[in-house]
């Protein structure tokens, strides 16, 4: 048996979470990027997948993805985007949060909410990284000898695919225009 619990966060609730995130970001200035990532990883390590609720595990996978994005040497995010992700991870690197993580079932609820807020904020970066990971997996599947897949190679292929789509759409539009002229 499962029980679905849903709730809405009002603007005042979200404001509270933003304030907490802002405080965590201020603390970020005193920490190295490596220590922030290490602390976020340590929080993930605390989580027992056998006892943690599914909704928590789903969100923690998103946190793992954020950590992977800035740790992936093939991806190499520019400094501005890396800082944005580190800002997001800052909350998870703080040892104390709203609900102590040791409380069974609910201890990671505040973390799950914060992850949802962060994922919404970084959705474009996450989508691009997932696209890159899919591309890398496809390249490795096609060429077992491939040692690495760079962001530049991904960008080159994406650019070529987008330009090919652009040309195809232009061609379809021309055909459509010709047909319309014939029908007039």
């Amino acid at each position: 048996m499962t029980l679905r619990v849903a709730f809405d966060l009002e603007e005042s609730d979200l404001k509270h979470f933003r304030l907490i995130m802002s405080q965590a970001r201020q603390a970020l200035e005193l920490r190295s990027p490596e220590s922030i990532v290490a602390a976020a990883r340590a929080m993930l390590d605390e989580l027992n997948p056998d006892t943690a609720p599914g909704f928590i595990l789903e969100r923690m996978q998103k946190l793992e993805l954020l950590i992977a994005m800035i740790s992936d040497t093939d991806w190499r995010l520019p400094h501005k985007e890396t800082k944005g992700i580190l800002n997001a991870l800052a909350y998870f690197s703080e040892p104390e949060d709203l609900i102590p993580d040791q409380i069974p079932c609910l201890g990671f609820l505040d973390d799950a909410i914060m992850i949802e807020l962060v994922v919404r904020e970084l959705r474009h970066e996450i989508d691009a990284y997932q696209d890159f990971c899919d591309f890398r997996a496809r390249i490795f599947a096609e060429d077992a000898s491939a040692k690495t897949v760079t962001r530049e190679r991904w960008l080159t292929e994406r650019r070529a695919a987008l330009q090919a789509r652009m040309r195809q759409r232009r061609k379809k539009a021309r055909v459509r225009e010709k047909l319309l002229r014939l029908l007039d």
Side-chain angles (χ1 to χ4, degrees), residues 163-179:
Q163 290 172 352
R165 185 176 75 188
M166 172 188 69
R167 288 184 200 99
Q168 185 179 27
R169 287 178 176 174
R170 187 180 311 126
K171 185 178 178 180
K172 284 181 182 180
R174 286 182 187 147
V175 169
R176 202 171 329 154
E177 288 174 14
K178 285 181 184 180
L179 284 173

Side-chain angles (χ1 to χ4, degrees), residues 35-89:
S35 70
I36 292 167
V37 171
R41 279 194 175 125
M43 188 198 81
L44 287 171
D45 291 342
E46 285 178 25
L47 189 65
N48 183 346
D50 297 329
T51 59
F55 74 94
I56 298 293
L57 293 174
E58 287 176 32
R59 273 66 184 186
M60 294 303 159
Q61 288 173 346
K62 294 176 183 180
L63 183 61
E64 288 174 355
L65 182 65
L66 292 174
I67 292 170
M69 283 176 64
I70 61 172
S71 302
D72 190 332
T73 56
D74 293 335
W75 182 238
R76 282 189 293 251
L77 269 177
H79 178 72
K80 181 180 176 185
E81 284 80 10
T82 299
K83 186 159 176 63
I85 293 172
L86 286 170
N87 282 338
L89 293 177

Side-chain angles (χ1 to χ4, degrees), residues 42-156:
M43 188 198 81
L44 287 171
D45 291 342
E46 285 178 25
L47 189 65
N48 183 346
D50 297 329
T51 59
F55 74 94
I56 298 293
L57 293 174
E58 287 176 32
R59 273 66 184 186
M60 294 303 159
Q61 288 173 346
K62 294 176 183 180
L63 183 61
E64 288 174 355
L65 182 65
L66 292 174
I67 292 170
M69 283 176 64
I70 61 172
S71 302
D72 190 332
T73 56
D74 293 335
W75 182 238
R76 282 189 293 251
L77 269 177
H79 178 72
K80 181 180 176 185
E81 284 80 10
T82 299
K83 186 159 176 63
I85 293 172
L86 286 170
N87 282 338
L89 293 177
Y91 175 82
F92 307 103
S93 65
E94 288 297 313
E96 298 197 18
D97 50 9
L98 289 175
I99 304 171
D101 295 341
Q102 295 75 23
I103 297 176
C105 191
L106 297 177
F108 288 97
L109 179 60
D110 59 321
D111 300 301
I113 292 169
M114 194 62 80
I115 290 170
E116 281 302 311
L117 295 173
V118 164
V119 165
R120 286 180 184 192
E121 183 179 322
L122 299 171
R123 69 184 174 281
H124 301 296
E125 290 86 347
I126 291 169
D127 288 347
Y129 182 64
Q130 287 177 318
D131 188 25
F132 172 75
C133 289
D134 293 344
F135 170 77
R136 180 171 44 194
R138 183 172 50 84
I139 294 299
F140 287 155
E142 291 171 2
D143 182 5
S145 66
K147 299 267 190 267
T148 187
V149 176
T150 64
R151 181 182 175 123
E152 290 75 25
R153 182 174 175 185
W154 170 74
L155 287 169
T156 300

